[in-house]
Amino acid sequence: MKDNPEFRLRVLMALGFLVGAKVLNVQVPFLFKLAVDWLTTATGNAAALASFTTANSNLIALFATPASLLVGYGIARAGSSAFNELRTAVFSKVALRTIRSVSRKVFSHLHDLDLRYHLSRETGALNRIIDRGSRAINFILSSMVFNVVPTVLEISMVSGILAYNFGAPFAWITSLSVAAYVAFTLTVTQWRTKFRKVMNKADNDANTRAVDSLINYETVKYFNNEAYEAEKYDEFLKNKV
């Protein structure tokens, strides 16, 4: 992206849409709260309605009726979803270009390796590894840009609002709860990694067997080994279960 102004602009636009979506998302419960409070006091006594109107005079100037508050609530929800979709649409070209660039470098690197490597290679496993790596790039970019950063931003905004309206203890409770959840998630993820590695190896072995068997189709047919190849392939699939 250093030499591509378009991609830098797309990243900045995606981050702008991200911030806009989170700001609107934080406003949704406030608008819903005002609508519920107004409807509750409107069905009660006039004094309560006058007190509510005085306490929320600034927002009342923007939303004159409960229906307007509900419309604003709907607009905030729809706006948040729209910003998220626009963010994904703007950033998708950057992610796909990154995948293309890395995949091209990997492909070139494989062709630069010596003959010994290619004579001993496992085509099926190699193809699966390249495919899994390409998909992992998209997952990492999406997770970092659209999950980790937005979550930190939203938790910070919510904690600040809670601290301002209800005091620091509520903000600390929220922050510590999220921190405990993150710590638990990371711990379980580290524990699951070894099982994921075993599953990936089994997947590579199964794919290697399938590709090599199909590449050598003539040999399999010549020796009438279709049933044997299917049985061996099934053994590798069994390791994935």
Side-chain angles (χ1 to χ4, degrees):
M1 291 189 296
K2 293 181 179 179
D3 302 324
N4 197 320
E6 179 191 354
F7 281 6
R8 289 201 299 269
L9 178 61
R10 282 179 175 272
V11 171
L12 292 176
M13 289 176 61
L15 292 177
F17 286 135
L18 169 64
V19 173
K22 292 307 175 183
V23 170
L24 286 177
N25 199 39
V26 170
Q27 302 305 316
V28 166
F30 288 101
L31 293 172
F32 190 70
K33 174 254 184 190
L34 288 173
V36 172
D37 289 350
W38 194 334
L39 290 172
T40 302
T41 53
T43 56
N45 54 61
L49 179 60
S51 175
F52 172 78
T53 305
T54 302
N56 300 276
S57 57
N58 292 331
L59 286 173
I60 298 303
L62 296 176
F63 302 98
T65 63
S68 300
L69 283 172
L70 292 176
V71 170
Y73 169 81
I75 291 175
R77 288 294 299 269
S80 177
S81 299
F83 276 138
N84 284 328
E85 295 300 326
L86 288 171
R87 175 203 66 190
T88 303
V90 169
F91 192 77
S92 61
K93 188 173 182 179
V94 178
L96 293 175
R97 180 64 178 272
T98 303
I99 294 173
R100 173 189 170 188
S101 177
V102 174
S103 299
R104 180 189 178 98
K105 289 180 180 179
V106 171
F107 188 75
S108 299
H109 173 70
L110 291 174
H111 275 291
D112 290 338
L113 295 175
D114 58 17
L115 181 61
R116 179 183 300 176
Y117 172 82
H118 288 282
L119 290 176
S120 62
R121 77 189 189 281
E122 295 179 335
T123 305
L126 190 60
N127 181 66
R128 180 66 73 180
I129 290 170
I130 294 174
D131 178 64
R132 189 182 293 118
S134 298
R135 288 186 282 110
I137 294 172
N138 188 35
F139 175 77
I140 291 173
L141 287 175
S142 299
S143 297
M144 290 301 297
V145 178
F146 297 152
N147 289 324
V148 176
V149 174
T151 300
V152 172
L153 176 63
E154 189 167 6
I155 292 300
S156 301
M157 294 172 64
V158 170
S159 298
I161 292 171
L162 289 174
Y164 179 78
N165 288 317
F166 306 107
F170 286 92
W172 279 111
I173 290 173
T174 301
S175 301
L176 292 177
S177 298
V178 174
Y181 173 76
V182 170
F184 174 78
T185 302
L186 292 176
T187 302
V188 173
T189 300
Q190 291 295 324
W191 173 73
R192 289 177 61 248
T193 300
K194 56 184 179 181
F195 301 107
R196 187 72 182 182
K197 289 181 178 179
V198 173
M199 189 192 74
N200 287 341
K201 184 180 184 305
D203 183 61
N204 291 342
D205 293 339
N207 198 66
T208 297
R209 187 70 187 191
V211 172
D212 289 349
S213 178
L214 293 174
I215 288 177
N216 297 283
Y217 167 80
E218 296 87 351
T219 304
V220 174
K221 294 295 287 185
Y222 184 80
F223 290 97
N224 197 26
N225 270 351
E226 294 90 339
Y228 173 79
E229 290 296 325
E231 182 180 349
K232 297 298 291 184
Y233 180 60
D234 185 63
E235 290 181 5
F236 286 108
L237 292 178
K238 188 188 303 183
N239 295 331
K240 296 172 60 177
V241 179

